[in-house]
Amino acid sequence: MEKRKELELYVHIPFCVKKCAYCDFLSAPADEEKRQEYVETLVREIEGHREQYREYRVTTIFVGGGTPSILSAAQMECIFASLRENFLIEENAEITIEVNPGTVTVEKADAWKRAGINRISIGLQTVNDEELRMLGRIHTFEQFLETYYLLRKKGFMNLNVDLISAIPGQTQDSWRKTLCTVAELEPEHISAYSLIVEEGTSFYKLYGDDKDRDRDVDTSETTAVSERYRVCGSVKSELKEREYLPLPNEDVERAIYEETEKLLQQYGYNRYEISNYAKKGYACRHNEGYWRRKEYLGIGLGASSLIGKQRYRNLSRYDEYIDAVQNRTDIHEETEYLEKTNEMEEFMFLGLRMMEGVSRTKFYENFEKEIEEVYGEQLMRLAGDGLIRSDEERIELTKRGIDISNYVFEQFLLE
Ligand code: SF4
């Protein structure tokens, strides 16, 4: 089994109960008939991959969305039965599902256990109900707690909680309360992202003018893996005039950002990536694979893949995707062949997202060149500006580098 190449799987479920005000992920509400049609199509897509991935062993699976927990117990079991039938999945594979409070039941949790799911990522965002309402979330903090305790009771011992800072009207105090309340529950992993106002969202209509503020924002834990794509068309705004609270200013935002690491450290969480924190031994293996440029196959609407030297993206228009899978025609809407220079760029800016940084040895093994030979000038300049530090083996971001990481990453573009 060890001789086979490693593969990560991402399965996209593009359905949600209702669209959140800040969300630009590829997700939308759908009725039961459509959800069933999609599950059947996913299974057909999975079957179609069988031959090509015969030589691989699957080390991680991530079912993301959208809200995968919107699917019934039977639908999720059907997807996993097909995955197990068509891929060789390692016995100790990390298998994650994203869930949202308000959509989790005892029956579903039992089915996830039976399917072998061993890690659950819960979308909470904030413990403050007013902020949850502002974000357009479907649940309260109380409902999150019910979900959290239900999952613990069912024996899920690897839980992530997703949080968002810089919510309109949020203060440093309210962010601190969110962090402490969640850390006291002792999930194994916490993702803490800063809100970004994306085009096409309800928030963009209210805060669009502020969108260019200097923020080091990236996408959520699953987004890092799946590279979720924007929803086409406009999103119906449900926000009322009186809810137009200001976004926190840059000073508050920076303070929030700095406090997050300190506070979570006190609770025993190690920051292993710009926005991700874990108790010892609980870093998300699936995401680490993404940052280390392991091969991954994305299954489902708009899902992206990295296989060999190619990046693919599945069709992201629902009807086109369904038709292509059903008729066994090409399901990709984009295929990019990566040149050596593209791979070097990715190696640098994905690798630097992790606190351990990038390895000089690995760079040489991959590209048969010393890192200085390619990036000597950039490394010297960034070190001089106090944005990176390095020793004989590793290069990593400094605290200041983390603050403006997008700028640092741009410096590694070669063309
Ligand atoms: S933020 Fe998550 S739950 Fe909300 S609409 Fe987007 S994918 Fe769905």
Side-chain angles (χ1 to χ4, degrees):
M1 183 127 147
E2 270 63 39
K3 287 205 186 96
R4 291 171 182 249
K5 286 200 277 182
E6 293 186 7
L7 181 69
E8 303 200 323
L9 295 181
Y10 173 77
V11 181
H12 190 65
I13 309 297
F15 306 123
C16 286
V17 175
K18 129 181 191 297
K19 198 76 189 162
C20 297
Y22 60 96
C23 178
D24 77 330
F25 301 152
L26 186 46
S27 68
D31 59 23
E32 177 51 31
E33 198 183 323
K34 198 167 185 177
R35 296 201 292 256
Q36 184 56 30
E37 171 187 57
Y38 185 76
V39 170
E40 286 166 18
T41 308
L42 266 187
V43 167
R44 194 164 161 81
E45 188 194 334
I46 293 167
E47 288 166 357
H49 292 304
R50 186 188 177 98
E51 281 312 307
Q52 190 181 348
Y53 295 96
R54 205 175 256 291
E55 301 305 317
Y56 286 83
R57 63 190 161 97
V58 173
T59 54
T60 68
I61 302 176
F62 198 109
V63 185
T67 302
S69 49
I70 208 171
L71 295 186
S72 67
Q75 286 168 334
M76 195 55 78
E77 283 188 303
C78 174
I79 293 169
F80 271 88
S82 178
L83 288 172
R84 292 192 183 279
E85 209 177 298
N86 292 287
F87 290 94
L88 179 68
I89 300 169
E90 271 192 346
E91 213 174 301
N92 73 341
E94 176 193 87
I95 305 180
T96 306
I97 181 175
E98 278 189 312
V99 309
N100 276 313
T103 59
V104 178
T105 63
V106 171
E107 192 198 1
K108 289 181 190 179
D110 285 337
W112 300 339
K113 266 264 146 182
R114 284 196 298 275
I117 291 167
N118 50 29
R119 182 173 184 273
I120 299 199
S121 177
I122 314 171
L124 167 61
Q125 318 315 346
T126 161
V127 304
N128 181 312
D129 283 343
E130 187 54 34
E131 290 171 3
L132 284 171
R133 202 176 59 84
M134 166 65 57
L135 291 171
R137 302 285 299 176
I138 58 164
H139 56 88
T140 59
F141 176 56
E142 195 55 39
Q143 285 174 301
F144 160 81
L145 284 178
E146 282 166 23
T147 298
Y148 187 89
Y149 291 127
L150 165 64
L151 294 173
R152 281 296 197 219
K153 200 169 148 205
K154 289 289 166 189
F156 289 100
M157 292 306 163
N158 189 355
L159 299 181
N160 168 60
V161 178
D162 271 342
L163 300 177
I164 291 185
S165 64
I167 297 167
Q170 190 177 51
T171 61
Q172 216 176 324
D173 278 350
S174 71
W175 174 243
R176 192 177 301 127
K177 181 160 184 231
T178 286
L179 280 180
C180 293
T181 309
V182 170
E184 271 158 28
L185 290 169
E186 302 188 341
E188 286 66 30
H189 190 288
I190 295 176
S191 296
Y193 288 88
S194 177
L195 179 77
I196 185 166
V197 178
E198 294 280 12
E199 264 183 84
T201 63
S202 297
F203 266 5
Y204 189 80
K205 292 175 190 157
L206 296 175
Y207 303 110
D209 288 343
D210 264 355
K211 69 182 185 304
D212 293 328
R213 295 190 316 157
D214 174 26
R215 286 180 163 182
D216 175 38
V217 183
D218 48 353
T219 43
S220 78
E221 183 192 28
T222 49
T223 312
V225 176
S226 59
E227 291 187 20
R228 293 182 283 197
Y229 293 92
R230 304 215 169 142
V231 184
C232 302
S234 66
V235 179
K236 189 179 164 215
S237 171
E238 293 179 5
L239 300 177
K240 301 182 188 81
E241 193 68 17
R242 66 187 170 79
E243 291 176 312
Y244 191 179
L245 291 173
L247 290 164
N249 67 36
E250 271 178 46
D251 291 340
V252 173
E253 203 181 333
R254 181 109 24 230
I256 279 176
Y257 214 66
E258 275 171 19
E259 194 174 10
T260 303
E261 181 175 20
K262 252 187 252 163
L263 227 147
L264 289 181
Q265 212 163 35
Q266 286 165 16
Y267 282 94
Y269 292 91
N270 174 44
R271 184 186 208 174
Y272 70 100
E273 192 266 351
I274 292 177
S275 305
N276 285 284
Y277 301 80
K279 298 255 178 168
K280 199 169 185 301
Y282 286 97
C284 175
R285 281 162 51 196
H286 185 85
N287 282 359
E288 284 186 324
Y290 176 80
W291 296 315
R292 293 185 177 129
R293 301 191 69 254
K294 280 190 172 176
E295 288 185 289
Y296 66 93
L297 173 66
I299 298 165
L301 185 72
S304 57
S305 310
L306 171 66
I307 303 295
K309 289 187 177 300
Q310 296 199 348
R311 284 195 181 273
Y312 306 94
R313 186 172 67 184
N314 280 1
L315 291 161
S316 54
R317 286 185 184 276
Y318 185 82
D319 291 341
E320 289 176 8
Y321 167 74
I322 300 286
D323 283 352
V325 176
Q326 295 302 349
N327 299 320
R328 295 254 188 260
T329 55
D330 187 8
I331 61 168
H332 299 133
E333 70 180 10
E334 220 175 88
T335 302
E336 185 191 2
Y337 180 83
L338 299 173
E339 302 291 344
K340 198 62 111 195
T341 49
N342 302 131
E343 292 187 293
M344 288 175 180
E345 292 167 351
E346 289 188 0
F347 179 95
M348 294 307 288
F349 61 69
L350 289 174
L352 283 171
R353 295 197 61 82
M354 292 186 291
M355 297 302 106
E356 66 176 31
V358 295
S359 147
R360 291 173 186 280
T361 311
K362 285 258 157 56
F363 188 93
Y364 188 83
E365 282 170 6
N366 277 300
F367 308 116
E368 291 169 355
K369 277 183 181 185
E370 298 292 347
I371 207 162
E372 252 79 14
E373 216 181 303
V374 182
Y375 286 119
E377 190 251 313
Q378 290 92 324
L379 292 174
M380 199 154 35
R381 188 159 35 83
L382 290 168
D385 292 341
L387 299 173
I388 58 165
R389 66 174 152 257
S390 60
D391 60 21
E392 281 174 8
E393 171 54 14
R394 306 209 75 86
I395 299 166
E396 59 192 41
L397 295 177
T398 59
K399 261 201 173 11
R400 218 171 134 235
I402 293 172
D403 280 347
I404 51 168
S405 56
N406 287 341
Y407 165 80
V408 177
F409 299 154
E410 274 170 26
Q411 310 311 303
F412 293 102
L413 296 177
L414 291 166
E415 285 162 5

